[in-house]
Amino acid sequence: MASATSQLEKALPPSEHDLSTDEGMLAYLNQHTPFSTSSITRLSGGFANWTYRATLESPYKFVDSVNQSRALETIVVKFSSDVAAAFAGVALDLYRTKAEIAALKLTNGLNLPNFRGMGTTQKLPTSTTQPAIFLPELLSYDTTNHVGCYVDLGPLPSLKQYLIDHPGSDAVELASKVGDLLGQFLAGLHLWGYQVSHTDPPILDIYRQSESAKKICAWRTIEFVEGSAKEYNIDGNWEKITDTLKREVLDSNDTFNMGDFWTGNILMELDGPANPRSLKALYVLDWELVKTGPASTDIAQFAAEAFMLHQYSGRTTSGSGTLDEPTDASPAGEALLVSFLDGYERHVKKSSTDNMTSRSSGTSVVEPSYERGKSIQDVLLDSRSVIGHLCAHVATIGKTVSWANRETTERTVRRVLELMITNDQSDTTSSLKDVLTALEVK
């Protein structure tokens, strides 16, 4: 029986097969890996990579990250290239694969809130009322051909799809639980990153050098804000506004960024049909845009998607559900947004208080040397930066979503563009509650 950690990375010979095709990947798996495969299916979605589900000829037995014996009948295979899978001709830096594998190994060893990874000391949840957060489990990675084989989690719903399908009050309790768990988890990750960026910077060197990830994160929303403003005839100093946001993404090394922390990259494991509102586990996927940067961009990306779920996912008052009718706001989306920001801020403030108490007793960890007189709360709870990046996300990605009606989309996009102008002229605060106030969310 193999150990999942014993065969993580191997440099195999360059493949003669076209790994962007079903036939090529099937041949590769059977010739170069221990995963004898009978059939393979391309999975939908994904901008950068080719992702497949491979059905194995016989169960693959191994010991997983929590020391449980497993026998896998299927695995997920991800192939990365120097061009984007979804857009021919769009060049991508393969450095992202090195950073992603390093991030999975690094994060799996951290003691983060609500998280269970390899090397952590936290106990597994003992009941469905104590769900945990996990990372995708890597079985092997071919450093030559950039092919990763992962444990297949099966047909789990993404958080995004679940709340599109369940926008009403019956999902509020679950959405609140998920938001709180993820908010605390992300806060823990950022607190760790901020600490080591000041006390042991070389740990983050590989992520600090992820220049392509920084450029993608600056480009994917901010680059298109001015075009949205012109489309909606909203005048403002857009060059200044967008340049400020871009500089934050490209120049900041404040902390460790997941880089793609949004509802589509969170899978939910529920307690089966008999108890569909009981959460067992969450899985945070796709770490290839990991980098250093401001905490605000990770916070804003998730909060923006939660805000869109709140604004766009409600049912029409008539109940017909056609996309051209106004919708009521989704209470489940609102609950996700509020609990996420609250969980994040609560954990940051609690950790700051605990650290001050430890310092007074002489037992604290090394205190970072704060830059320009800023406290850790100033850096991680920068409301002005969060609002700016959140609005940029909604103003660009939020105007093209297929699950919203025209009137709600136009109203929401116009609103966030106007908010970007006032936000650019306002002072920042160290409270994410001001994000909710700006969005007029309770």
Side-chain angles (χ1 to χ4, degrees):
M1 185 175 295
S3 166
T5 58
S6 65
Q7 50 181 20
L8 278 181
E9 296 182 62
K10 292 183 179 179
L12 299 178
S15 176
E16 67 274 22
H17 305 292
D18 182 355
L19 302 183
S20 66
T21 67
D22 293 8
E23 297 79 8
M25 182 56 74
L26 179 64
Y28 165 85
L29 290 171
N30 284 325
Q31 291 179 21
H32 298 294
T33 76
F35 309 110
S36 297
T37 302
S38 60
S39 64
I40 197 163
T41 304
R42 175 85 184 272
L43 300 179
S44 61
F47 165 77
N49 306 301
W50 287 262
T51 307
Y52 305 90
R53 172 170 286 119
T55 300
L56 306 182
E57 291 182 347
S58 59
Y60 177 75
K61 297 179 180 180
F62 80 112
V63 177
D64 68 13
S65 62
V66 293
N67 295 318
Q68 294 180 339
S69 297
R70 302 278 297 277
L72 303 178
E73 296 183 356
T74 60
I75 62 170
V76 169
V77 184
K78 184 165 75 171
F79 164 58
S80 303
S81 176
D82 56 2
V83 295
F87 296 94
V90 176
L92 296 174
D93 189 345
L94 278 169
Y95 187 86
R96 73 186 193 276
T97 65
K98 176 182 178 181
E100 180 178 28
I101 299 302
L104 290 176
K105 292 194 291 186
L106 170 69
T107 308
N108 260 316
L110 301 178
N111 283 315
L112 302 175
N114 312 309
F115 176 63
R116 184 66 169 93
M118 294 179 288
T120 67
T121 59
Q122 296 191 50
K123 295 181 179 179
L124 278 171
T126 56
S127 73
T128 54
T129 60
Q130 297 175 293
I133 296 171
F134 297 84
L135 302 190
E137 182 143 11
L138 183 66
L139 298 168
S140 68
Y141 184 73
D142 175 357
T143 59
T144 304
N145 298 294
H146 309 289
V147 176
C149 296
Y150 295 83
V151 171
D152 186 2
L153 298 172
L156 299 181
S158 70
L159 175 58
K160 174 182 175 179
Q161 191 59 53
Y162 184 87
L163 290 183
I164 290 174
D165 295 339
H166 303 85
S169 57
D170 57 336
V172 164
E173 183 177 354
L174 178 59
S176 295
K177 180 67 173 177
V178 170
D180 186 62
L181 289 169
L182 291 171
Q184 291 186 59
F185 168 79
L186 186 64
L189 189 66
H190 287 165
L191 283 162
W192 173 85
Y194 184 80
Q195 176 80 22
V196 299
S197 72
H198 290 80
T199 59
D200 197 2
I203 292 178
L204 298 180
D205 279 352
I206 186 173
Y207 314 109
R208 196 175 290 111
Q209 295 164 15
S210 295
E211 294 299 326
S212 63
K214 291 190 174 190
K215 290 177 182 177
I216 290 171
C217 290
W219 166 82
R220 64 188 174 191
T221 58
I222 303 168
E223 187 69 26
F224 305 102
V225 166
E226 190 167 357
S228 291
K230 289 180 179 178
E231 181 180 341
Y232 285 85
N233 297 313
I234 297 178
D235 294 328
N237 191 349
W238 293 111
E239 183 176 355
K240 172 181 176 292
I241 292 171
T242 57
D243 185 65
T244 298
L245 296 175
K246 285 179 184 177
R247 293 268 60 87
E248 288 179 357
V249 177
L250 296 173
D251 297 344
S252 171
N253 293 300
D254 283 342
T255 188
F256 181 81
N257 278 180
M258 190 274 184
D260 208 11
F261 198 78
W262 71 293
T263 54
N265 278 344
I266 310 295
L267 297 187
M268 303 173 65
E269 184 177 0
L270 303 173
D271 197 23
N275 199 4
R277 297 290 186 269
S278 183
L279 182 68
K280 292 180 68 176
L282 296 168
Y283 299 87
V284 182
L285 310 182
D286 290 343
W287 290 67
E288 66 184 71
L289 293 181
V290 64
K291 58 184 179 60
T292 54
S296 57
T297 53
D298 274 348
I299 300 169
Q301 186 181 12
F302 188 92
E305 289 287 331
F307 179 66
M308 289 192 294
L309 286 167
H310 168 44
Q311 293 293 298
Y312 296 165
S313 296
R315 297 300 184 220
T316 59
T317 53
S318 66
S320 64
T322 58
L323 292 180
D324 290 332
E325 296 179 358
T327 59
D328 299 324
S330 160
E334 180 180 33
L336 179 72
L337 172 62
V338 172
S339 62
F340 170 73
L341 294 177
D342 179 68
Y344 187 99
E345 179 166 340
R346 193 173 69 252
H347 185 74
V348 168
K349 289 185 173 180
K350 179 180 183 301
S351 297
S352 300
T353 302
D354 290 348
N355 195 43
M356 290 178 64
T357 302
S358 298
R359 288 207 315 274
S360 66
S361 63
T363 61
S364 74
V365 294
V366 177
E367 174 71 8
S369 55
Y370 301 123
E371 298 175 3
R372 298 181 299 279
K374 288 187 175 182
S375 72
I376 196 166
Q377 292 187 31
D378 293 333
V379 174
L380 299 187
L381 302 175
D382 185 341
S383 63
R384 182 171 177 266
S385 182
V386 171
I387 292 169
H389 289 284
L390 183 156
C391 289
H393 188 104
V394 177
T396 53
I397 293 176
K399 72 176 185 178
T400 61
V401 295
S402 60
W403 38 276
N405 66 76
R406 255 194 320 272
E407 182 178 331
T408 304
T409 300
E410 291 177 2
R411 181 178 67 246
T412 303
V413 172
R414 182 176 296 279
R415 178 179 165 194
V416 296
L417 285 168
E418 292 171 347
L419 178 55
M420 289 186 79
I421 296 173
T422 58
N423 183 65
D424 182 63
Q425 300 167 352
S426 66
D427 296 327
T428 191
T429 65
S430 299
S431 175
L432 299 185
K433 292 180 176 63
D434 291 325
V435 178
L436 297 173
T437 300
L439 296 173
E440 299 177 5
V441 174
K442 296 179 181 178

